Amino acid sequence: MKDEQFDEYIKSKLREEPVLTFGDNIDETINKAMKKAKKAKFRATRMIAAAIVFLGLGATATVLLQGQQDQPKMSQKNENIQANKEKLSQLAAVDVEREKERLVSEGYLLEAGSDLPEVSGPSSSALKDVRYTSTLKDYIYNSRSTVKGKVLGVKYIIGEHSAYTKAKFLVEESYSGLYKPGDIVTVVRAGAIITHYEMIIKEEIDKKFNIPEAELEQAKQKMVVVDNWGGEMIFPDESMILFIGDRVETDDLNDEAYYVSGPVVKFKGKEILIPDSRMEEGYIFEEFFFTKQLSVFVEKLASIVKEKENYSKEKAIEAAYNFLSEQDRQQITNLENSSVRFSSRGIYYKTPKNVIVVTFMLKNDQPLTVILKEEYQLYKITK
């Protein structure tokens, strides 16, 4: 195509541009824009875009110059803005003060005590093998939901086997799971702050030793931390990221409560509060507290959540079940309640990385375990 023909072609395309307003002298305006576009050495569709730039229509030109690759970015940005608006709207709908009044009537504490005992304690030996090899990815994959928010109130419960903290948690942001901003979730975490007297009764120490009455009375004035297994306690008005696990039974059977697994990641403003490493000694400390910047932690968390989109406990159970013999299948008591656990580092470092362990309970009360590799392929079946 000759230069004259090319110029006429560009002019015709410019005239077709619906957003252009040329004024009275269309050809003169286009010619000036064309000359400037030629100096910029643009050709073809870029020539059209360049001409539009020089005609003063920057926004339209930008779209043409950058192509459609930027359109998804703009779309994503708009979606993020809309999501933030919805989140703020959902949070604004929560009457926090009224909720706190209700919690007080139910026996919840809205403030941490002024004279808190030292929060420390031995790690549970029963959990060490799981905790020492568990990564951030493991807790995200194995949790029911991963959320960010604030503790509204706590209640310390002395259960049949151990003491625990029951907390009302306001979800401000949900990274995975069914919760949404504005939801108030009842969560349970091991450990409670009780009187020394309550601990004596709980552990039946008074039945093993003859403790003087005066000493028992004195024990009622002293607070202690029990059953926290080396992990941090959670207190009212603290902001944190939680990994919420399965439903658990509490003192109130009508209260739908869920267990908090893994360490709690507390933050204030934009900064993560790094705990004493002894407090979370049962976990791979650097997996959770590798940065003080909340945004950096959330970015890593979000990338793992994205990976989790291809993971499904239901799919793992189905795949494991299909690898069993018909005889084994008939011995399974409750297929839906089968245990599923993801392990990024493998089981005791003896299996491949990123395995899924599916455990079925049989009619003889014995477990049948199927270990799956990536892509839900069989690695091993053990009884």
Side-chain angles (χ1 to χ4, degrees):
M1 182 182 292
K2 294 181 180 180
D3 286 346
E4 294 81 8
Q5 292 175 316
F6 182 79
D7 288 351
E8 286 303 317
Y9 168 76
I10 296 298
K11 287 178 183 179
S12 66
K13 290 297 180 184
L14 285 171
R15 287 191 179 94
E16 293 172 6
E17 179 63 32
V19 298
L20 296 178
T21 303
F22 295 103
D24 294 330
N25 197 334
I26 298 175
D27 288 332
E28 183 179 344
T29 304
I30 291 179
N31 284 333
K32 285 180 181 179
M34 290 283 292
K35 286 178 182 179
K36 291 181 180 180
K38 285 182 180 179
K39 287 181 180 179
K41 298 181 180 179
F42 285 97
R43 287 292 181 269
T45 56
R46 287 177 176 264
M47 172 77 84
I48 302 172
I52 296 173
V53 169
F54 298 122
L55 286 168
L57 294 161
T60 304
T62 300
V63 174
L64 287 170
L65 280 168
Q66 294 181 342
Q68 293 186 352
Q69 62 180 357
D70 278 357
Q71 291 180 14
K73 293 181 182 178
M74 290 297 293
S75 176
Q76 183 63 50
K77 184 177 180 180
N78 291 336
E79 287 178 9
N80 291 341
I81 292 172
Q82 184 60 33
N84 285 332
K85 286 182 179 179
E86 290 178 4
K87 179 176 71 175
L88 292 173
S89 175
Q90 290 164 341
L91 287 172
V94 180
D95 190 337
V96 175
E97 293 307 314
R98 186 173 181 180
E99 183 65 27
K100 285 184 176 181
E101 288 178 7
R102 186 180 66 81
L103 293 180
V104 170
S105 68
E106 294 178 4
Y108 281 84
L109 303 175
L110 303 188
E111 294 180 357
S114 56
D115 297 320
L116 290 173
E118 182 180 350
V119 182
S120 61
S123 296
S124 168
S125 59
L127 295 179
K128 278 184 178 178
D129 288 339
V130 174
R131 296 162 84 184
Y132 282 135
T133 59
S134 293
T135 64
L136 175 60
K137 183 175 182 178
D138 292 334
Y139 280 106
I140 292 173
Y141 269 58
N142 293 319
S143 66
R144 184 176 183 269
S145 300
T146 303
V147 295
K148 181 175 76 173
K150 179 176 288 188
V151 178
L152 298 181
V154 302
K155 182 191 288 188
Y156 301 121
I157 309 295
I158 301 175
E160 185 178 350
H161 303 292
S162 63
Y164 59 89
T165 300
K166 187 164 77 166
K168 292 293 184 178
F169 188 79
L170 173 62
V171 176
E172 296 175 344
E173 189 159 354
S174 178
Y175 303 106
S176 68
L178 302 177
Y179 301 121
K180 64 182 184 301
D183 284 346
I184 296 177
V185 188
T186 303
V187 296
V188 170
R189 182 164 173 81
I193 297 176
I194 61 177
T195 66
H196 191 204
Y197 175 80
E198 289 173 318
M199 188 197 79
I200 290 172
I201 301 301
K202 169 184 173 294
E203 302 293 339
E204 298 186 345
I205 298 174
D206 59 323
K207 295 180 180 180
K208 301 172 185 175
F209 303 95
N210 185 20
I211 304 174
E213 193 65 32
E215 192 173 323
L216 288 175
E217 284 299 317
Q218 191 177 12
K220 293 179 182 180
Q221 308 305 315
K222 182 182 178 181
M223 305 301 293
V224 294
V225 177
V226 296
D227 298 337
N228 69 312
W229 298 339
E232 275 205 296
M233 298 290 291
I234 59 177
F235 300 107
D237 210 34
E238 285 188 324
S239 295
M240 60 191 66
I241 292 174
L242 297 181
F243 308 100
I244 300 177
D246 295 328
R247 184 174 180 178
V248 293
E249 289 187 0
T250 68
D251 59 307
D252 183 357
L253 296 179
N254 295 319
D255 197 0
E256 193 171 300
Y258 295 88
Y259 187 71
V260 174
S261 61
V264 295
V265 181
K266 299 181 181 181
F267 64 91
K268 189 173 184 179
K270 297 181 180 180
E271 184 174 314
I272 287 178
L273 304 177
I274 307 295
D276 185 331
S277 60
R278 292 174 299 173
M279 290 306 306
E280 301 292 0
E281 62 181 357
Y283 305 100
I284 304 174
F285 193 80
E286 63 275 11
E287 271 287 315
F288 299 88
F289 304 105
F290 56 88
T291 180
K292 283 189 174 183
Q293 297 180 49
L294 179 62
S295 60
V296 174
F297 180 84
V298 169
E299 185 178 352
K300 182 175 180 179
L301 185 152
S303 68
I304 297 174
V305 169
K306 185 69 175 174
E307 293 176 22
K308 189 183 175 182
E309 291 178 359
N310 300 319
Y311 171 74
S312 164
K313 287 188 176 183
E314 292 74 21
K315 192 181 293 185
I317 291 174
E318 181 182 358
Y321 182 80
N322 289 336
F323 286 119
L324 299 177
S325 66
E326 187 60 37
Q327 182 179 357
D328 285 336
R329 292 178 187 176
Q330 292 177 2
Q331 293 301 310
I332 296 173
T333 55
N334 192 328
L335 186 63
E336 292 182 357
N337 286 344
S338 302
S339 167
V340 180
R341 186 165 189 84
F342 176 87
S343 180
S344 61
R345 295 194 173 191
I347 308 301
Y348 307 119
Y349 304 99
K350 294 180 180 180
T351 67
K353 294 181 178 180
N354 297 317
V355 296
I356 305 170
V357 181
V358 182
T359 304
F360 303 102
M361 289 306 298
L362 305 180
K363 292 177 180 178
N364 60 2
D365 291 330
Q366 294 299 310
L368 188 158
T369 301
V370 180
I371 302 176
L372 303 173
K373 300 183 293 185
E374 292 186 277
E375 304 297 327
Y376 302 102
Q377 296 301 307
L378 180 64
Y379 172 72
K380 192 176 183 180
I381 298 177
T382 61
K383 295 183 180 180

